[in-house]
Amino acid sequence: MASEEAPLPAAGYTAFGLRAEAERLEPGLHVVATPIGNLKDISFRALATLAAADAVIAEDTRVTKTLLAHYGIATPLVAYHEHNARLIRPHLLARLESGATLALVSDAGTPLVSDPGFKLVQEALEKGVHVTSVPGPSAVLAALVVAGLPTDRFFFEGFLPHKSGPRRARLAELAPVPGTLVFFESPRRLAETLADCVAVLGPRDAAIARELTKMYESVRRGRLDELSEALAHEEPPRGEIVLLVAPPEEGATALAEADLDARIGEALGSYSVKDAASVVSAATGQPRRQVYARALQLAAEKGK
C-alpha cells in the first residue's frame, strides 16, 4: 500500500513564544510596513501577511531575512531594488496577474517612502491587480511627533542633493512651504546640510532625530544656527538621521518697505545677495523673487 504524503505545515509565525497559523490572503500585492529599528514594532496583521504570502519582495533580503527569522517565518524572499527593478518587475507583475499573493517590504518602515516600490505598485494597479496596505512604522511620522515642531502641516522632501549648490537651490524652493520640513540625511553630510539650511532658511527651530526606536535613540532640538554650530565641531553622528525644520514665521502677506529693507540690509552683512534674499524670504514669507530684486538694488546702492 502506497504511503500518503505528509501535508505541508500551515504557514505561520511565532510571537511571545507561541506559534500562530496565518490565514490565507486575498491574491494581489500587499504593501507591508516593517520596524524601523525595534523588531517589536510590528503588527500581528503584518506578521500574518508575511507568513501567508507566496513570496516577500524585499529591498535587501539580508535585512528582511533577519526579521522573518526572528518571528519564525519561512516565506521565500525576492530581491527588488533600484539596481534590478527594471529586470525583476515584469516577472513580479506576471506572478501577480496569475493570481499570486506577494508582500512588498522595504528595509525599514513603510514601503514606497524613499524606496523603489512606487513603480511596482503603479504598474500593478494599471494591470488591475488588487493592492492593499498593511500600515505600521514610519520614520517620518515617528520623528515628527517627537520633534516639538508644528504637526498640522508638513512636507516630506526625502534626501536633499548631495552638493551644496543644488542643495541650497532646492532649500530656497522649499523656504515658503507653510509646514514643517522633513528630510532624510546621511550622517556624514549632516553638518554641511545644516550650514546650508542656516544660509537659506535662517535661524528657524529644528530637530535632529537619530536612531529612532533603537537603543541609542536621541533627539536634539534647537535653532538651526545653534545646531549647525554644534555639529561643525563634533564628529559625524552614527545611525539613521531625520532632520526637521520649522515653517517660516507667520506674518502679514506684505511688509512695510522700510521693514523689508532693514531685514535685507542686516542679511547682506552676513550673506551674499542670493543667500540674503533666501534668508529674508524664508523668515518673512515674502516672495523670493521680490526680495532678491530688492536685495540686488540695495547691494548696488551700497556699492556706489
Side-chain angles (χ1 to χ4, degrees), residues 153-157 170-183 201 204 245-249 281-282 285-286:
R153 285 190 289 184
F154 66 93
F155 183 91
F156 173 63
E157 172 68 7
R170 180 56 183 159
L171 285 168
E173 294 174 347
L174 295 172
V177 173
T180 295
L181 303 176
V182 185
F183 306 99
L201 304 178
R204 299 191 192 183
V245 180
E249 296 176 3
S281 174
Q286 305 305 299

Side-chain angles (χ1 to χ4, degrees), residues 131-154:
V131 177
T132 189
S133 171
V134 183
S138 165
V140 176
L141 296 179
L144 187 66
V145 299
V146 298
L149 300 175
T151 57
D152 53 337
R153 285 190 289 184
F154 66 93

Side-chain angles (χ1 to χ4, degrees), residues 157 160-161 163-176 196-197 199-201 274-275 278 288:
E157 172 68 7
L160 287 163
K163 295 185 177 180
S164 181
R167 186 162 56 227
R168 289 193 179 200
R170 180 56 183 159
L171 285 168
E173 294 174 347
L174 295 172
D196 287 341
C197 285
V200 178
L201 304 178
K274 182 179 179 181
D275 288 345
S278 296
R288 186 178 179 279

Side-chain angles (χ1 to χ4, degrees), residues 7 69 83 94 105 132 134 145 161 164 195 203 210 243 257 287 295 297-298:
H83 302 296
V105 301
T132 189
V134 183
V145 299
S164 181
R210 185 182 71 88
L243 172 63
E257 185 175 313
Q297 185 177 355
L298 292 177

Side-chain angles (χ1 to χ4, degrees), residues 209-218 238-242:
R210 185 182 71 88
E211 292 289 87
L212 290 172
T213 78
K214 300 178 184 177
M215 181 180 296
Y216 298 105
E217 173 182 320
S218 68
R238 296 181 179 180
E240 304 292 331
I241 301 291
V242 183

Side-chain angles (χ1 to χ4, degrees), residues 248-252 255 260 263 279-287 291:
E249 296 176 3
E250 291 186 14
L255 285 180
L260 181 60
R263 291 210 183 212
V279 168
V280 174
S281 174
T284 64
Q286 305 305 299
V291 177

